[in-house]
Amino acid sequence: MNYRVPVPVPQVILDDVRGAQKMLSGVARVTPMEGSRYLSALTGSPVHFKCENLQRTGSFKLRGAYVRIAGLRPEQRAAGVVAASAGNHAQGVALASSLLGVRATVFMPVGAPLPKVAATQEYGAEVRMHGQVVDETLAAAQDYADRTGAVFIHPFDHRDVIAGQGTVGLEILEQCPEVRTILVGIGGGGLAAGIAVAVKALRPDVKVIGVQAEGAAAYPPSLRVGHPVSIENPVTMADGIKVGRPGDIPFHIIGDLLDGVRTVSEDALSSALLLCLERAKLVVEPAGCSPVAALLSRPELYGGGSPVVAVLSGGNIDPLLLQRILRHGMAAAGRYLSLRLRVADRPGALAGLLGVLSVVDANVLDVSHVRTDPRLGLTEVEVELHLETKGPEHCTEVARALHAAGYTVMG
């Protein structure tokens, strides 16, 4: 891409990543690589998942956090560390600090998923809630560091952190030496930058492509102007990549080494999460699903038979959010249908409606009646139905059957 930052920034090189790999031996897991037959058939190329959702703490973040904290001088360790995160970096810092005997304070956004908050506390860190987005939380953590002398452990904008995340790239090359394209989600950019440093140094023929959520895509406009710029109020379900401004160091590396940055919709993220759960039997959070969403959105871009690796960066997801996303993903895939229609307010009317649905094999999940709406006639009742369907064609079949039976679908 050949974008360059006009100011000097610290360099990260292959030797840094190799040093991090030695440091992480026995600490971070070498996570497995799993093939995806569905995506391989869809794209026409072998597709593999790098399962960092199965890493300790449920994400790649332990790698960078441990390398950063392990590199502190004794007096710095004695002062303790502070971090800011929506959850994955928080857990990585908490566990790394515990393993290294360092006191940790972690700032998290007010809306951070409760399981991530609880896990961070269980790993031994003190948690403080502040801000609505990661950028506000980062500012609070930096202020705490300035006031107390604690060492601020940035989630992505430090060369040691990037080197630690880059060990994912080394493992990909070892586990899938035939790889030709690597897809990786981008928030601040630490993981993508680290992978790019490792992979491009050893295999410059391999394409490394970043993926961002459309509502939190700070990299495309930043790359266009040649320096990091902020976007206001990033909005996405993928809290792990919900970052309003690229990091200075990752931006420099990404601008130099990445082969492109693509964006994906919320619908695509939902469908990707559902695919990982149903087809791969893997629990992956929305941020971790972003490379899969890119494959689903534009499968033709990855055809030709060249192997593709999608990095599933994390698996920490609030069960309540998972429930909502699955419902959204099923609707986007034509597997869930909600509709309203009016029927006569008389005995047997609902049974007749359900009989029509039974004939077309639509599974009724929920039924509700509305009798008090002033728009209804004296002898009418509005029925809201939530149905489990088999796909878009089945949804069309259900609608046709209702129309043929004389029902008017309101919405």
Side-chain angles (χ1 to χ4, degrees):
M1 297 174 73
N2 297 322
Y3 296 95
R4 294 186 178 275
V5 179
V7 294
V9 293
Q11 297 293 311
V12 183
I13 61 174
L14 178 61
D15 283 348
D16 297 323
V17 182
R18 283 179 166 157
Q21 188 175 45
K22 291 179 181 178
M23 191 178 294
L24 289 169
S25 178
V27 176
R29 294 174 181 150
V30 176
T31 51
M33 189 86 73
E34 299 288 344
S36 172
R37 286 188 294 177
Y38 178 84
L39 288 173
S40 297
L42 181 67
T43 61
S45 299
V47 175
H48 306 276
F49 294 150
K50 175 58 173 170
C51 299
E52 281 297 289
N53 58 309
L54 303 180
Q55 182 58 262
R56 295 179 72 177
T57 74
S59 91
F60 70 96
K61 288 288 190 177
L62 172 65
R63 297 172 184 263
Y66 187 90
V67 173
R68 172 77 172 101
I69 297 170
L72 296 178
R73 300 187 303 275
E75 64 272 21
Q76 291 177 311
R77 293 194 188 192
V81 299
V82 60
S85 166
N88 287 341
H89 179 61
Q91 292 175 72
V93 168
L95 178 57
S97 299
S98 177
L99 293 173
L100 293 164
V102 177
R103 184 180 71 258
T105 302
V106 177
F107 285 77
M108 303 181 75
V110 173
L114 293 179
K116 293 186 178 183
V117 176
T120 303
Q121 293 171 326
E122 288 167 8
Y123 285 127
E126 177 190 348
V127 173
R128 301 189 182 192
M129 312 302 291
H130 184 91
Q132 298 299 320
V133 296
V134 173
D135 300 279
E136 296 174 358
T137 312
L138 281 169
Q142 185 64 68
D143 178 68
Y144 177 88
D146 294 339
R147 289 186 290 103
T148 65
V151 179
F152 178 57
I153 308 299
H154 200 285
F156 49 81
D157 209 6
H158 192 280
R159 64 191 308 271
D160 290 345
V161 172
I162 293 170
Q165 320 304 27
T167 59
V168 175
L170 294 180
E171 290 179 17
I172 290 172
L173 295 182
E174 292 165 3
Q175 294 171 310
C176 186
E178 68 277 14
V179 64
R180 289 296 179 272
T181 302
I182 298 172
L183 290 167
V184 54
I186 299 182
L191 177 61
I195 289 175
V197 167
V199 170
K200 291 295 186 177
L202 295 169
R203 290 280 305 281
D205 60 302
V206 175
K207 291 183 178 179
V208 182
I209 297 173
V211 184
Q212 290 205 289
E214 288 178 352
Y219 266 89
S222 297
L223 291 169
R224 280 195 295 270
V225 299
H227 59 83
V229 297
S230 299
I231 57 171
E232 293 187 6
N233 302 317
V235 177
T236 177
M237 70 177 78
D239 60 288
I241 54 174
K242 187 179 178 181
V243 179
R245 183 187 184 279
D248 291 325
I249 304 174
F251 179 82
H252 171 78
I253 296 168
I254 286 171
D256 259 0
L257 299 180
L258 247 66
D259 295 281
V261 176
R262 291 167 188 160
T263 60
V264 293
S265 68
E266 299 297 286
D267 279 351
L269 288 169
S270 296
S271 297
L273 188 149
L274 185 61
L275 183 144
C276 287
L277 190 62
E278 283 193 323
R279 299 297 184 103
K281 316 305 177 190
L282 292 169
V283 177
V284 186
E285 62 188 279
C289 285
S290 57
V292 180
L295 288 166
L296 289 175
S297 300
R298 297 289 303 277
E300 72 279 3
L301 296 179
Y302 309 98
S306 299
V308 178
V309 171
V311 180
L312 308 183
S313 58
N316 296 313
I317 184 169
D318 183 345
L320 294 177
L321 176 61
L322 177 61
Q323 183 181 42
R324 294 197 299 272
I325 292 174
L326 288 177
R327 180 171 172 175
H328 184 81
M330 289 180 69
R335 301 266 305 282
Y336 188 90
L337 179 63
S338 297
L339 48 84
R340 292 179 294 108
L341 60 162
R342 293 178 182 178
V343 301
D345 190 9
R346 57 176 174 77
L350 180 59
L353 171 61
L354 297 179
V356 173
L357 297 172
S358 176
V359 170
V360 292
D361 201 25
N363 186 31
V364 179
L365 301 176
D366 189 37
V367 181
S368 61
H369 290 76
V370 176
R371 285 191 168 88
T372 57
D373 193 314
R375 294 171 295 180
L376 293 172
L378 186 63
T379 59
E380 288 182 319
V381 61
E382 187 171 280
V383 177
E384 184 174 352
L385 296 165
H386 300 281
L387 309 175
E388 182 182 0
T389 51
K390 301 173 184 177
E393 292 181 2
H394 192 208
C395 290
T396 301
E397 182 185 355
V398 170
R400 286 175 178 168
L402 291 170
H403 284 297
Y407 295 100
T408 301
V409 177
M410 308 302 295

